[in-house]
Structures are given as structure tokens and as C-alpha cells.
Amino acid sequence: MSRAIGTAVAALRHSLAGLLVVLLSAVIFIASLRDLLGILAIEPYFGLPSAILMTGLAGAACLLAIVTLRRASIFGGLAPLAVLGLSILGGLVAVADLVGLTPCASGPAVTILGLGQAGAALLFVSPGIRRGRWRALRARFPASWANAIFAAAVLAIGLGGASALLHQASRGGGGNEVVERPAILDLPAASVLFGAAEPTVVAAYFLDLSCDDCRSEFRRITSALREFPLSESLQLRFYHYPRVNGGCAAQGEGRAQLRIDEGACLGAAAVECVELLAPGLGIRMAGEVFDFQRQPNPAITTEAVLESASAIGLQIDTKNPSNSLSRCIMGNWAVHERVLSHINFARRHGVDETPHGYFVGVRDGRLDPEHVEAFRGVLSPAIRARKITSVSQISRSALAGGSAR
């Protein structure tokens, strides 16, 4: 009786783990495919996107898991081990993404799900491992191993190849649409700058002041810019892309105007105004607004903005509602137009997440349209160094040393 109960529990655990593998694999497949289709021709990438590998491995694991749940005897009963192998390979790709070994990493969510899929696959085969089932199957059906490996490889390569073709098609654009190179055609002006005065590379960062990942990336790049060689070669240009419901543009107004009632939009105007009133202080103001996220009540409010601006050295009377910073935030239309131009650029070029941006080489004092590297998400020092190297003449070893400090 106890053995029967144990067998039933093991079978239930096996089935639930299989369903979990199917679910995680399907989500990874869809998310990776969506990322690949969202990479436009204006976004050059340094190497093979990990999403292609994740699409093939996760898609093959999903299909094999579904098949083995419906028919346990397929491939001599060894299909779960093929699922495990594919999932472990996906987990290794995820680990490589996390430590910065891949040139174009998948998004953080896909990476986490890839590790979860590998764990679910281990649960999927654990009942058979405990009962020595796989050893017995190997002895009885040696040819089934070759069949299972062959099927898993064909599915993974086929799905990965199909996703790579879709990726290339999406980058190639369609119809008569003209592909723009944002670095030279319409990258808007940025007033908040940090780093080299005469750069060989420009880092155009589109950031949301209420975004935690943006805060992390901002802290990393500004820290790296304080060290040689980046301090001598790279200039950060801060662009605003607040992600708020309904956007930052006020409706029904005769001229361009920001919705100051939205915290992220208010923060963008505050950073621009601090830079206008005290050139060079805007980048510090951005850091202050980012740090609001670490407060017990992480809201970007007018009071908090005024106190922070005063704390970093802007000469204003925070008790006076007509102080220069408040007047600028509320009524400087040039500032409002600048922030909205950043937002419009990002939307026009399909930016759907923050942080996002471009590393652009500089030649003869101008942005070089032939040397552009795009990025999405938080960058590891290794990937940042590769992208900067690909658009500049700085040695890779020097960049890696500076980024790691």
C-alpha cells in the first residue's frame, strides 16, 4: 500500500514538474521571440543575440515535454532526459548572460526563467532517477538514446534557425520604409552631460527617473566615467524617457507642456531646470531624483525636488513658491519641449523599455553614423566595454580595466 502511494506521489510530482517545464519554456520562447522581432535595423548588435539560443532550446524543451506527458513511452521513455538536457543548456546560456560572457544578453526576466526551467526539468526526471529507471532504459533500448538526442537537436536547431531568420527579417525592415540611423538624422539635443569634454565615444542614455533598472545603470555608467580611460574618452548624454500612463504631454494645451502632476515627468523637468540654472549640476540632480526610490515613500514630489536641489548647491529659497527652480519647472516651455523631444524620439524609434540607448563613435567632432551600437537593459562591464570598443579605437583591455573598477 505504501509503495503504491509512493508511486502515485512520484507520478503526480512528475506530471506537475512537466507542466511547469511546459509553462516556463513557452514563456521563454514567446519572450525571446518578441525580443528578437523588436530589434530593428537601427540597432546594431555586437554578436549573436542569446535570445536566438533561448528560443531554440526553450521551444524544443516545450514540445518534447508536451509529447512525453501525452505518451510516456516515446523514444523508449527517454524524452524527459532530452528535456533535461535542453533545459540545462538553456540554464547555462542564462548563467553566461548573467556574468556578461555573451555579446548580446537576453532580458533579465528571460534569464531568471531559464534558470527556473532547468530546476523544473530536474524535478521532471527525479522520480526516474530515484528508481533507477533511466539506467534500466539505457540497458534495454540503447538506440533510443540516439533517437532522443537527434530529435532534441533537430527541434532546437530548427526553432533557433527559424527565429534567427525572423530576427534578420525584422532588422531588414519591410516594404518601402526608410530605415533611419538615429545617431546622425534626428538624435535630439541633450543638455545634461557627464564625462569627457572632447569624447571619442558618446553614450546616449534614455532613462526614466522612476525606474529602478535605470537607477542601477545610471550609477554604473557614472561610476565608470570617473575612472580612466572612460573619463578621457566617453561622454554620457542624459535623455529623458518617463514611462507614465498617458504620456508626459499635457492634453489640450496650445504649446508643448509637460504633465507636472506625474512624478517621472516632474523629475525630468527638474533635472533640466537645475542644469539650466547651474550648468554642470544637472547630472547630480538626476542622481538625487533616482535616489528617491530608496526612501520610505519613493515619490517624486515638488517639495522633494526643491529640497534635493538646494542640498546639492542650487541657490533657491525652498519656502518661496516663486523661486527660480519652481518657475522653470512650471513655465519654461523650452525645457518642456526638450523633454518631449526626447520622448518623441524614443517612441519614433520603437523604444519600449528603459534603460535604452546608443554608443556612438565620434569622428572630427561629430557623431559617426557608421559606428553605432544600441543597448537595452542594465549592462555588465564586459558588454559595455565590447560595445564601446566596437565604435571606437580604445583598446578592449583598457576599457575592461576601467569598467571593472
Side-chain angles (χ1 to χ4, degrees), residues 115-192:
L115 297 174
Q117 178 194 347
L122 285 170
L123 293 176
F124 190 41
V125 302
S126 62
I129 292 175
R130 290 194 179 96
R131 298 199 304 266
R133 179 168 175 245
W134 310 122
R135 193 183 308 114
L137 286 172
R138 182 179 61 181
R140 292 181 57 192
F141 303 105
S144 297
W145 281 93
N147 292 336
I149 293 173
F150 178 76
V154 167
L155 285 173
I157 293 172
L159 291 171
S163 66
L165 291 175
L166 290 172
H167 164 63
Q168 289 299 325
S170 70
R171 282 174 59 83
N176 297 321
E177 182 181 356
V178 177
V179 176
E180 295 182 284
R181 297 300 294 269
I184 59 170
L185 287 185
D186 58 354
L187 190 66
S191 62
V192 181

Side-chain angles (χ1 to χ4, degrees), residues 81 90 265 380:
L81 288 184
C265 309
S380 69

Side-chain angles (χ1 to χ4, degrees), residues 80-93:
L81 288 184
V83 172
L84 175 63
L86 292 166
S87 300
I88 289 177
L89 288 175
L92 291 175
V93 174

Side-chain angles (χ1 to χ4, degrees), residues 136-358:
L137 286 172
R138 182 179 61 181
R140 292 181 57 192
F141 303 105
S144 297
W145 281 93
N147 292 336
I149 293 173
F150 178 76
V154 167
L155 285 173
I157 293 172
L159 291 171
S163 66
L165 291 175
L166 290 172
H167 164 63
Q168 289 299 325
S170 70
R171 282 174 59 83
N176 297 321
E177 182 181 356
V178 177
V179 176
E180 295 182 284
R181 297 300 294 269
I184 59 170
L185 287 185
D186 58 354
L187 190 66
S191 62
V192 181
L193 312 175
F194 185 63
E198 298 182 358
T200 58
V201 177
V202 163
Y205 270 59
F206 286 80
L207 301 169
D208 179 350
L209 289 163
S210 62
C211 159
D212 191 57
D213 282 346
C214 294
R215 178 185 182 277
S216 298
E217 183 58 28
F218 175 80
R219 289 300 180 193
R220 291 183 182 186
I221 187 65
T222 52
S223 176
L225 278 169
R226 293 186 177 94
E227 303 289 342
F228 181 84
L230 291 186
S231 60
E232 300 290 329
S233 58
L234 182 67
Q235 182 185 81
L236 169 65
R237 297 186 181 179
F238 194 107
Y239 289 92
H240 301 278
Y241 192 28
R243 310 297 304 283
V244 300
N245 292 331
C248 271
Q251 301 298 320
E253 299 292 339
R255 64 177 75 191
Q257 185 173 347
L258 290 171
R259 294 172 57 196
I260 303 302
D261 58 306
E262 289 288 347
C265 309
L266 166 64
V271 169
E272 292 293 322
C273 284
V274 167
E275 179 65 25
L276 177 66
L277 297 171
L281 209 56
I283 199 72
R284 288 187 60 191
M285 186 62 189
E288 290 290 318
V289 178
F290 272 129
D291 284 345
F292 289 172
Q293 299 173 31
R294 293 294 183 264
Q295 296 179 2
N297 299 310
I300 303 175
T301 64
T302 301
E303 294 75 13
V305 162
L306 293 175
E307 291 293 338
S308 294
S310 177
I312 62 174
L314 185 66
Q315 299 301 312
I316 57 172
D317 181 359
T318 59
K319 304 300 182 182
N320 182 0
S322 297
N323 65 71
S324 58
L325 180 56
S326 295
R327 293 198 309 271
C328 177
I329 291 173
M330 298 302 298
N332 191 312
W333 311 124
V335 165
H336 290 209
E337 288 175 357
R338 184 181 302 119
V339 173
L340 290 174
S341 72
H342 296 178
I343 297 170
N344 291 335
F345 173 89
R347 288 177 175 170
R348 187 163 59 250
H349 291 284
V351 177
D352 59 358
E353 65 179 287
T354 51
H356 182 104
Y358 309 91

Side-chain angles (χ1 to χ4, degrees), residues 21 36 102-103 110 114 118 120 194 212 234 266 378 380 386 388 398 401:
V21 170
L36 288 173
T102 49
V110 171
F194 185 63
D212 191 57
L234 182 67
L266 166 64
V378 177
S380 69
R386 291 174 188 173
I388 295 173

